[in-house]
Amino acid sequence: MTAPDSTTPDSTTPTAVVTGASSGIGEATARKLAADGYHVVVGARRVDRLETLASEIGGTALALDVTDDDSVAAFASVLPRVDVLVNNAGGAKGLAPVADADLDDWRWMWETNVLGTLRTTRALLPKLIESGNGLIVSVTSIAAFETYDNGAGYTSAKHAQGVLHRTLRGELLGQPVRLTEIAPGAVETEFSLVRFDGDADRAAKVYQGIDPLVAADIAEIIGFVASRPSHVDLDTIVVRPRDQASGGRFARRES
């Protein structure tokens, strides 16, 4: 596949959609898929960042708020073709025990991680089937399989997102759509900065003393998944840094 020149999606060029593409794993994935020859449509709320990214990769930037029905519908309506959907939009808010749970934080996590994945997948599924060789990649987390103290809001949302994705595996059996769940451990992106409401010092401590994954590590895996023949479905991929055994267990070196 050769890299497309157009900045407007069309019905003849293999097209990949990446949500949450304004930074981190989403941005790195968009760059990887564009390098692999896809016309990449990047969606997020921070349109200024998207436009810069799209201009660099020859893609298309579209505003997308996965928590808003109208935004998702408008986004889907202008795409003539979708071959790959990367459900990457999501995140965490806070780190409180259940007894002190902030319901607004919980609502945000469920709206973004779970219902956001549902809205986007439901809206683009007809086009993925129509492509004849669709691929849905959902970026969940090891939190979709594990729990840890003070993380119930995020782990419950990621469990639900993972179950949504895995349910599709059976519901789409016989359709020309593959499904891959990628569950990363600690990846140093803006994730912890968002979780801790912009507290950079607290966010930095999450990765202190370890060699975390970086966004490009996950993007490389997504690119590999997308490059497999149509009969090969890489079902679930769990990836952690060497220094991590579980959500709360790390081998940290003294600084």
Side-chain angles (χ1 to χ4, degrees):
M1 221 186 300
T2 57
D5 297 323
S6 175
T7 56
T8 304
D10 60 56
S11 60
T12 62
T13 304
T15 299
V17 171
V18 182
T19 70
S22 59
S23 65
I25 293 171
E27 178 184 350
T29 298
R31 293 185 185 279
K32 173 58 178 171
L33 293 177
D36 289 347
Y38 288 93
H39 183 95
V40 182
V41 179
V42 290
R45 290 174 296 178
R46 296 180 290 188
V47 179
D48 54 336
R49 290 192 180 193
L50 292 183
E51 290 175 344
T52 300
L53 173 61
S55 68
E56 292 173 357
I57 65 175
T60 299
L62 295 174
L64 175 64
D65 181 351
V66 299
T67 70
D68 183 271
D69 291 343
D70 292 338
S71 176
V72 173
F75 181 89
S77 69
V78 299
L79 301 180
R81 171 175 177 166
V82 180
D83 299 82
V84 176
L85 167 61
V86 181
N87 284 312
N88 173 70
K93 287 274 191 179
L95 197 61
V98 170
D100 299 322
D102 184 316
L103 294 184
D104 287 337
D105 285 350
W106 276 61
R107 289 188 187 97
W108 183 88
M109 286 184 276
W110 277 73
E111 277 286 351
T112 306
N113 294 283
V114 187
L115 296 180
T117 294
L118 172 60
R119 288 185 185 94
T120 308
T121 302
R122 184 179 62 180
L124 297 181
L125 191 53
K127 293 183 173 71
L128 286 157
I129 294 172
E130 185 181 349
S131 75
N133 184 24
L135 170 65
I136 299 172
V137 177
S138 292
V139 181
T140 61
S141 168
I142 59 172
F145 301 96
E146 303 175 2
T147 63
Y148 54 87
D149 293 351
N150 306 325
Y154 182 63
T155 59
S156 63
K158 282 300 182 182
H159 272 67
Q161 182 192 19
V163 169
L164 186 166
H165 174 94
R166 291 166 221 152
T167 300
L168 277 171
R169 187 76 172 88
E171 292 180 350
L172 294 177
L173 193 62
Q175 297 282 7
V177 179
R178 295 175 291 148
L179 292 110
T180 298
E181 177 180 357
I182 298 180
V187 185
E188 189 168 12
T189 62
E190 294 181 359
F191 173 86
S192 291
L193 198 62
V194 171
R195 167 169 249 172
F196 298 129
D197 198 26
D199 187 332
D201 290 338
R202 193 177 179 191
K205 289 179 181 177
V206 173
Y207 313 105
Q208 189 172 349
I210 68 169
D211 290 324
L213 301 172
V214 296
D217 295 325
I218 310 305
E220 286 290 333
I221 294 170
I222 295 173
F224 178 76
V225 167
S227 71
R228 296 307 86 200
S230 61
H231 70 287
V232 177
D233 191 305
L234 296 175
D235 199 315
T236 306
I237 300 172
V238 179
V239 53
R240 315 172 198 256
R242 185 182 61 190
D243 294 333
Q244 182 179 28
S246 65
R249 187 179 177 195
F250 295 88
R252 296 190 187 272
R253 296 173 297 279
E254 293 185 9
S255 57

